[in-house]
């Protein structure tokens, strides 16, 4: 029963490791591409700001009617850039930063898994030792019970940690 | 009367020259900045396409529910990129190209102005010559009338060309 439970846990650990590796890989990629997307948006906003300036400069050299039309267009276009600026800030704060935070989260999960793996290996060793003891001295009840007791303590502690 | 009309035309020519120079300068600037704006938009669309791909790749490694959500987001985001592509094409065709065409238009206007200027200078020379003739031989009606006639012909031809 103990051996089967250990094997189960082995599979679980491997699944968790795969999940962590997967998230690490894809969240890293997503974070980079989102950051690049934000940068390109910011550059588009910069170009649009240049355009607004140039239209205003040109408008100031023109006749009143055309000037008014150009200025109106420049004003509306400038408002669009304000929205673009808000988009940049929001993407930075709500998408890129949280994705970046996953770098640390993934590292913590890896450490957790490593601790689990160490504990699991220690358990497996003790289980092997227990069975060897059982085979050698089947009548030595005292030693076997004491071993089983300490192993169960391990499992309980491990389960609480989880 | 002829001299005043020539001076008037002088002012007009100068105004036209200034207008052409102004348009040449600002339309050139506008064309460049609009073209840069279009390029930045195209780059933003490229980054967004990368993002759509990466989200789809990540979605395919995830559990059905999350996968569906991610795929839906990627699809909507991809549609936005189609609109962005349309924006790029439309700006290119309806803004950048017409602005570019002004390069040729400005050149033609400059040539027109140069022709006008040459004609004007020729007229001014002939006018000076006419007045000199008038002062030298005030009684030589025949030469003066012939001169005035040829000058008027000039003006008429010039007016028709305009």
């Amino acid at each position: 029963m103990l051996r089967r439970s250990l094997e189960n846990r082995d599979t679980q650990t491997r699944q968790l490791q795969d999940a962590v590796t997967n998230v690490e890989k894809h969240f890293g990629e997503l974070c980079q591409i989102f950051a690049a997307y934000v940068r390109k948006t910011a550059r588009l906003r910069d170009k649009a700001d240049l355009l607004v300036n140039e239209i205003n400069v040109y408008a100031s050299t023109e006749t009143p009617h055309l000037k008014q039309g150009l200025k109106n267009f420049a004003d509306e276009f400038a408002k669009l850039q304000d929205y673009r600026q808000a988009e940049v800030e929001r993407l930075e704060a709500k998408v890129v930063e949280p994705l970046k935070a996953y770098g640390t989260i993934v590292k913590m999960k890896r450490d957790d898994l490593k601790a689990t793996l160490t504990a699991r290996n220690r358990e497996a060793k003790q289980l092997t030792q227990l069975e060897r003891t059982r085979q050698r001295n089947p009548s030595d009840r005292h030693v076997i019970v004491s071993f089983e007791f300490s192993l169960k303590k391990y499992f309980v502690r491990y389960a609480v940690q989880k």
Side-chain angles (χ1 to χ4, degrees), chain A residues 136-149:
Chain A
R136 275 194 206 145
N137 322 303
S139 57
D140 197 349
R141 296 287 305 155
H142 176 66
V143 176
I144 292 168
V145 166
S146 147
F147 242 129
E148 278 183 342
F149 183 69

Side-chain angles (χ1 to χ4, degrees), chain A residues 6-155:
Chain A
L6 278 178
E7 266 167 22
N8 255 349
R9 212 172 285 165
D10 212 9
T11 318
Q12 267 191 352
T13 312
R14 222 175 304 124
Q15 280 174 347
L16 282 170
Q17 265 176 331
D18 289 349
V20 167
T21 307
N22 195 37
V23 162
E24 188 177 34
K25 185 184 155 207
H26 289 293
F27 276 33
E29 282 279 327
L30 283 174
C31 182
Q32 278 190 352
I33 303 178
F34 259 118
Y37 182 80
V38 171
R39 277 198 304 276
K40 296 279 172 217
T41 307
R43 276 183 211 150
L44 187 59
R45 174 210 60 203
D46 291 345
K47 277 291 163 210
D49 285 345
L50 276 185
L51 201 52
V52 167
N53 276 348
E54 176 56 29
I55 290 172
N56 276 325
V57 169
Y58 173 54
S60 66
T61 70
E62 275 297 342
T63 46
H65 216 70
L66 180 53
K67 183 182 199 156
Q68 197 50 48
L70 284 168
K71 288 233 179 251
N72 286 347
F73 171 68
D75 285 351
E76 298 301 325
F77 203 59
K79 274 178 208 154
L80 277 183
Q81 301 329 306
D82 292 345
Y83 281 109
R84 205 160 257 156
Q85 173 60 20
E87 186 192 347
V88 166
E89 282 166 13
R90 200 163 294 179
L91 277 174
E92 191 66 54
K94 307 259 177 181
V95 178
V96 177
E97 281 304 320
L99 277 174
K100 251 190 214 163
Y102 269 88
T104 320
I105 293 172
V106 160
K107 208 169 274 172
M108 275 164 55
K109 287 291 154 207
R110 270 209 190 295
D111 290 349
D112 276 10
L113 274 172
K114 206 187 250 174
T116 309
L117 220 71
T118 314
R120 199 177 51 72
N121 286 342
R122 209 181 296 142
E123 278 169 23
K125 240 182 239 163
Q126 288 210 276
L127 195 65
T128 317
Q129 217 174 330
L130 169 66
E131 283 190 356
R132 211 180 294 144
T133 312
R134 217 184 244 144
Q135 278 166 4
R136 275 194 206 145
N137 322 303
S139 57
D140 197 349
R141 296 287 305 155
H142 176 66
V143 176
I144 292 168
V145 166
S146 147
F147 242 129
E148 278 183 342
F149 183 69
S150 84
L151 254 182
K152 264 177 195 153
K153 247 186 15 194
Y154 243 126
F155 274 88

